[in-house]
Amino acid sequence: MEELARGFFPELFNRSGNKGSGGSSYSPIVLPLDGRREEPARRKAADSDKRVGNEPLSKIRADFPILSEMVDGKPLVWFDNAATTQKPKQVIDRLTTYYERENSNVHRGAHALAARSTDAYEASRAKAADFIGAADPDEIVFVRGTTEGINLVAQSYVKPMLKPSDEIILTYLEHHANIVPWQMIAQETGALIRVAPVDDAGQIILPEFHKLLSSRTKFASLAHVSNALGTITPVEELISAVHSFGAAVLIDGAQSAAHMPINVSAMDADFFVFSGHKLYGPTGIGVVYGKQALLEAAKPYQGGGNMISDVTFGRTLYHNPPAKFEAGTGNIADAAGMGAAIDYVKRIGMQNIEAYEHELLEYGTRELSKIPGLRLIGTASRKASVMSFVIEGHSIEEIGSRLSEAGIAVRAGHHCAQPILRRFGLEGTVRPSIAFYNTFEEIDSMLRILRQLV
């Protein structure tokens, strides 16, 4: 059994002095070596009265209408949460309320509905600021999602200060959305991209990261949690290291905001971005957090109405942030919906969500590792949400299709993260990803299908 564990979790046996990634208060995922396992009947009996914090899991699941959906006659099991999360009725109802009672443009109207709409929009900005520990709601810019947020920072703040041979630091863990925007501005300015490597567990090799930093470093853009592997990166240490060279840092929180408490002030992030749709909110809405001084220094990303204080044909005067970056009519309804999503997860408690998801992740990782021929991809000592794998002799498309036939939705592909998968010699993986409405029984249903395959 120990040899099996060595094969799947080499970092637990062969320490090279590289610390595991930080960011979570929970212990590493450890495969038991004595062959013991929790009895399924005993665990399943406890499933029915499981709680997430003080909230019964059965009540949580009842809040999400789509979890009652049938797929080809099978109950839906939603294990594609890293792509998007499902929405509770509280969010759905908030959107209905907005369109039924509040619909108007914001800021400019002198009538009652404009006031209601503006109140809803700005209340959600305040909720987002509080949710991630920002000092002021004016440090929150609404965008379509994480991708637009990264592009905004790249174009508005970073590009204007770059000159040839300046350097931008990334890691192998990045999503394409945190690679392509930097390539675009590097090509335009002559700047260079430097990439920090990862070890065989999918953890950033910290000494190598530190070696990349120099007086040429102008910016770093780093994943908080890898969408392909689930690795939680030690953002506080990385940010501190970059700051010691006088550079600023963006943290991509697309995969962390829904799974753990976030405090941008404590981590000292210069920018932090996340998407509403991965946080149980609507699509088409997201957040850029930026320190006030940096937002003031950044140039407007787009031009139009709502972001100006005065316009003549000779010049334009812009509003202060965040309005400076919100040209045109914003996604008002979905901002209100994201506010409702934040209310929902805060009521349950992000620490409670993190703790329950950690239980699911430990169980799923342990049981997947027992399947013959299955190789887990990404075995960092600190992980969130994701269990990527391949099975010898079976294509990822075949595995994904077999699971779908049983009503189980997983992602099978490169997850818009080709560099990290190619680091492991792969073009794709099967990626179940969990949320706090998932159950141990759902993991068991996936395991049954996978065992039938092998």
Side-chain angles (χ1 to χ4, degrees):
M1 185 66 181
E2 180 169 330
E3 288 305 310
L4 176 63
R6 286 180 186 274
F8 286 118
F9 297 94
E11 81 285 2
L12 300 181
F13 296 89
N14 301 310
R15 299 289 185 187
S16 60
N18 297 329
K19 296 179 181 178
S21 300
S24 172
S25 58
Y26 294 96
S27 58
I29 298 169
V30 180
L31 182 68
L33 302 183
D34 58 5
R36 292 179 298 177
R37 58 178 292 184
E38 187 178 13
E39 290 296 325
R42 177 181 167 190
R43 183 194 48 66
K44 284 182 183 177
D47 249 5
S48 60
D49 57 9
K50 194 73 179 173
R51 304 179 82 86
V52 183
N54 294 322
E55 200 78 10
L57 182 58
S58 58
K59 182 176 183 298
I60 289 171
R61 288 181 60 82
D63 283 338
F64 290 81
I66 204 168
L67 298 183
S68 300
E69 187 72 12
M70 303 295 285
V71 177
D72 294 331
K74 309 290 195 311
L76 173 67
V77 175
W78 187 256
F79 281 156
D80 199 13
N81 294 288
T84 195
T85 52
Q86 298 302 341
K87 320 307 174 193
K89 59 187 178 183
Q90 289 84 345
V91 170
I92 298 167
D93 290 346
R94 183 66 188 90
L95 295 175
T96 300
T97 297
Y98 174 82
Y99 283 118
E100 287 182 345
R101 302 192 64 247
E102 301 166 340
N103 185 43
S104 171
N105 214 321
V106 296
H107 299 145
R108 300 190 289 273
H111 50 79
L113 292 190
R116 292 180 190 175
S117 184
T118 298
D119 287 347
Y121 194 61
E122 295 304 330
S124 291
R125 193 189 308 277
K127 290 175 183 180
D130 179 70
F131 180 65
I132 62 171
D136 193 296
D138 284 348
E139 294 179 321
I140 300 297
V141 179
F142 286 136
V143 287
R144 288 181 301 151
T146 301
T147 297
E148 185 176 36
I150 295 170
N151 277 274
L152 187 157
V153 175
Q155 295 290 335
S156 297
Y157 180 75
V158 182
K159 180 181 172 181
M161 70 179 178
L162 291 177
K163 59 183 184 299
S165 299
D166 284 344
E167 294 180 352
I168 300 165
I169 306 298
L170 307 177
T171 77
Y172 260 88
L173 295 174
E174 309 310 326
H175 187 281
H176 293 170
N178 204 25
I179 299 172
V180 179
W182 307 111
Q183 290 177 335
M184 292 169 68
I185 65 170
Q187 290 166 0
E188 294 176 35
T189 63
L192 305 173
I193 293 175
R194 306 290 301 278
V195 184
V198 301
D199 62 20
D200 290 341
Q203 301 168 135
I204 297 170
I205 303 173
L206 294 175
E208 296 300 317
F209 180 88
H210 286 274
K211 287 179 184 177
L212 294 179
L213 302 173
S214 73
S215 60
R216 295 185 299 275
T217 302
K218 299 304 177 189
F219 199 78
S221 194
L222 312 169
H224 194 178
V225 173
S226 164
N227 77 303
L229 308 184
T231 303
I232 302 172
T233 64
V235 289
E236 291 87 352
E237 178 176 348
L238 300 176
I239 291 168
S240 177
V242 176
H243 282 174
S244 70
F245 285 86
V249 187
L250 179 147
I251 300 299
D252 173 359
Q255 297 294 334
S256 63
H259 301 290
M260 62 189 67
I262 302 294
N263 190 314
V264 294
S265 298
M267 71 173 65
D268 200 21
D270 300 294
F271 297 96
F272 186 93
V273 294
F274 67 92
S275 298
H277 76 97
K278 296 182 191 293
L279 185 61
Y280 312 98
T283 56
I285 188 70
V287 162
V288 173
Y289 157 80
K291 289 180 177 177
Q292 191 69 35
L294 302 187
L295 291 178
E296 290 173 356
K299 296 184 177 182
Y301 179 47
Q302 297 172 320
N306 206 44
M307 47 85 77
I308 55 88
S309 61
D310 191 75
V311 173
T312 71
F313 282 107
R315 58 96 179 100
T316 294
L317 301 178
Y318 303 111
H319 281 311
N320 293 326
K324 181 169 71 169
F325 303 104
E326 296 180 3
T329 298
N331 193 348
I332 305 163
D334 291 332
M338 184 175 67
I342 289 171
D343 288 341
Y344 187 87
V345 296
K346 285 186 69 176
R347 178 173 58 81
I348 295 170
M350 291 307 300
Q351 289 180 328
N352 297 326
I353 288 172
E354 182 183 32
Y356 176 66
E357 290 182 357
H358 185 76
E359 292 180 42
L360 290 174
L361 185 64
E362 276 194 319
Y363 177 75
T365 300
R366 183 174 69 244
E367 296 305 309
L368 283 169
S369 72
K370 297 175 183 178
I371 295 176
L374 187 147
R375 175 190 173 197
L376 287 163
I377 308 301
T379 54
S381 59
R382 293 188 184 276
K383 288 185 59 176
S385 179
V386 171
M387 297 175 284
S388 272
F389 65 86
V390 293
I391 299 178
E392 185 178 359
H394 299 274
S395 71
I396 60 172
E397 293 80 10
E398 175 196 0
I399 299 167
S401 178
R402 287 289 297 275
L403 290 170
S404 181
E405 290 170 2
I408 303 169
V410 299
R411 185 72 35 165
H414 58 59
H415 320 306
C416 294
Q418 289 171 304
I420 187 57
L421 293 185
R422 287 170 180 165
R423 160 65 176 79
F424 290 91
L426 300 168
E427 289 298 319
T429 65
V430 179
R431 186 192 67 182
S433 50
I434 55 176
F436 67 95
Y437 45 56
N438 290 127
T439 69
F440 291 93
E441 185 175 16
E442 289 179 324
I443 292 175
D444 285 343
S445 67
M446 175 180 69
L447 293 168
R448 282 193 294 271
I449 300 300
L450 296 178
R451 291 185 185 117
Q452 292 169 9
L453 273 174
V454 300

